[in-house]
Amino acid sequence: MRLICAGTPAFATHIFSHLSKEHEILALICQPDKPFGRKGELKPPHTKESLGHIGIPILQPSHIDEPFIAHIRALKPDMIIVVAYGQILPTAFLKIAPCINIHASILPKWRGASPLQQMIMSKEPYFGISAMLMNERLDSGEILGLSYIENTQQDINKLSLELASLGAKLALYVIAHFQSIEPIKQIDADASYCTKIKKSDGYIEFDCASKIYSAYLAYCTWPHIFIKSTHGYTLKLFDVSLIESSSSHKAGEILQIESPYIIVGCTQGSLRIGALQQEGKNKLEAATYLRGKHLKMGDILC
């Protein structure tokens, strides 16, 4: 089948690479290159970096306008597969060919830009991925299929790989059986929404250890979880695990030092932390960081 693929991050790359083995990819549509790092050097989307090397034409429009739509229409695709493209597609584009969106949630839960993180944060018993026939409204099209896995406390990296693998199989199934699938309408009353992750979402206080651990699993790639020190800098937490979630402590109290780890108390529960990184400095083993700050058991991590 002749496909157009539209997607930007690594999650989409994994799915599209599987499709390219069984179908003809006419073109990849992804977001424009964006400035990255302190020098502002342009960085291409993951899909462009990975799929451009195998000869797939790359299209990076800043806007989906009528000339671009006409260009895609002239390619005469049989189907358009969309995975985390990052831009609302206009009605005229959706009418070119059946547009199938592979979305990382069990719709209608978590429509929007950050479903992976929100599934983790909400402690869903199952994580899933849905295929839907796109319409003009955000992630509200008719369901064509879904797959799911159990929540085993995967972090965002592992969950992304697991769901991308499921998503590739789901996309191939929907493409092969599209004509015989009976679409199911979503129930809008059951819908929930999520927005794009901001750096500030990583800010935590040592209140509920279980909640902090979920935030770590969701944000361990970016923006990471961090506290704000009383001295004015931020302190990122790495290699975090949940010790227990019921006992009461002073918020941020250093309960144990077990090099390289430390155990920190919360008002409800406690956490093991393997590494810390002060703003503008290198990441250090947690116990090493404490020595440098002359902090000991009973002190407050700050």
Side-chain angles (χ1 to χ4, degrees):
M1 191 168 288
R2 293 161 53 86
L3 305 178
I4 296 286
C5 292
T8 300
F11 186 80
T13 299
H14 188 90
I15 294 174
F16 294 158
S17 63
H18 279 74
L19 298 186
S20 68
K21 296 173 183 176
E22 298 193 24
H23 298 279
E24 180 184 0
I25 309 297
L26 302 174
L28 166 71
I29 306 171
C30 58
Q31 293 295 302
D33 297 0
K34 293 184 178 180
F36 178 80
R38 294 181 180 179
K39 295 183 179 180
E41 297 177 350
L42 289 178
K43 182 178 177 63
H46 194 280
T47 48
K48 176 184 177 180
E49 273 192 316
S50 300
L51 300 178
H53 295 314
I54 61 176
I56 297 175
I58 308 295
L59 306 175
Q60 297 177 272
S62 56
H63 301 286
I64 307 295
D65 54 18
E66 185 50 46
F68 182 79
I69 292 171
H71 174 64
I72 297 300
R73 189 182 296 118
L75 295 176
K76 298 182 178 179
D78 298 312
M79 192 174 289
I80 300 173
I81 307 296
V82 181
V83 184
Y85 172 53
Q87 185 175 332
I88 298 296
L89 297 170
T91 302
F93 184 93
L94 300 179
K95 290 182 177 179
I96 295 172
C99 286
I100 310 302
N101 182 212
I102 307 299
H103 181 78
S105 79
I106 301 175
L107 290 169
K109 278 192 171 183
W110 305 124
R111 297 172 177 174
S114 57
L116 288 165
Q117 292 90 339
Q118 294 303 330
M119 282 191 291
I120 293 173
M121 289 292 292
S122 61
K123 302 178 184 178
E124 304 281 357
Y126 294 94
F127 300 139
I129 191 159
S130 303
M132 66 177 165
L133 187 62
M134 295 181 71
N135 61 21
E136 298 84 354
R137 296 168 54 221
L138 178 66
D139 298 332
S140 62
E142 295 178 315
I143 302 297
L144 300 172
L146 63 86
S147 296
Y148 63 90
I149 54 175
E150 187 177 356
N151 179 351
T152 58
Q153 297 193 320
Q154 303 96 317
D155 66 22
I156 186 73
N157 298 308
K158 185 175 182 182
L159 181 60
S160 180
L161 287 173
E162 290 178 349
L163 288 186
S165 180
L166 282 182
K169 294 175 183 176
L170 179 61
L172 287 169
Y173 179 87
V174 169
I175 292 168
H177 299 86
F178 180 71
Q179 297 299 330
S180 61
I181 292 174
E182 187 69 32
I184 299 173
K185 289 185 178 181
Q186 293 189 45
I187 301 174
D188 288 341
D190 293 337
S192 54
Y193 294 85
C194 50
T195 58
K196 188 175 180 180
I197 300 298
K198 308 182 297 295
K199 185 176 181 179
S200 59
D201 291 329
Y203 171 68
I204 59 104
E205 295 181 347
F206 288 114
D207 46 13
C208 175
S210 177
K211 182 181 72 174
I212 294 168
Y213 182 56
S214 293
Y216 168 73
L217 295 175
Y219 302 142
C220 63
T221 298
W222 190 88
H224 304 287
I225 60 170
F226 58 89
I227 61 172
K228 294 181 180 178
S229 167
T230 55
H231 302 292
Y233 54 79
T234 61
L235 185 65
K236 291 181 181 178
L237 282 58
F238 297 90
D239 193 10
V240 177
S241 56
L242 179 65
I243 298 297
E244 47 82 27
S245 56
S246 58
S247 61
S248 297
H249 309 278
K250 293 178 183 178
E253 180 182 2
I254 300 167
L255 301 177
Q256 286 184 322
I257 301 173
E258 303 174 344
S259 185
Y261 298 96
I262 63 173
I263 296 178
V264 175
C266 303
T267 53
Q268 184 179 353
S270 57
L271 299 162
R272 179 184 286 116
I273 301 170
L276 295 162
Q277 183 176 21
Q278 182 177 323
E279 184 178 5
K281 296 184 180 290
N282 294 328
K283 183 167 66 173
L284 298 172
E285 292 181 347
T288 301
Y289 177 86
L290 293 195
R291 287 196 296 270
K293 293 292 184 180
H294 305 292
L295 294 171
K296 60 186 183 303
M297 288 174 54
D299 289 341
I300 302 300
L301 180 63
C302 62

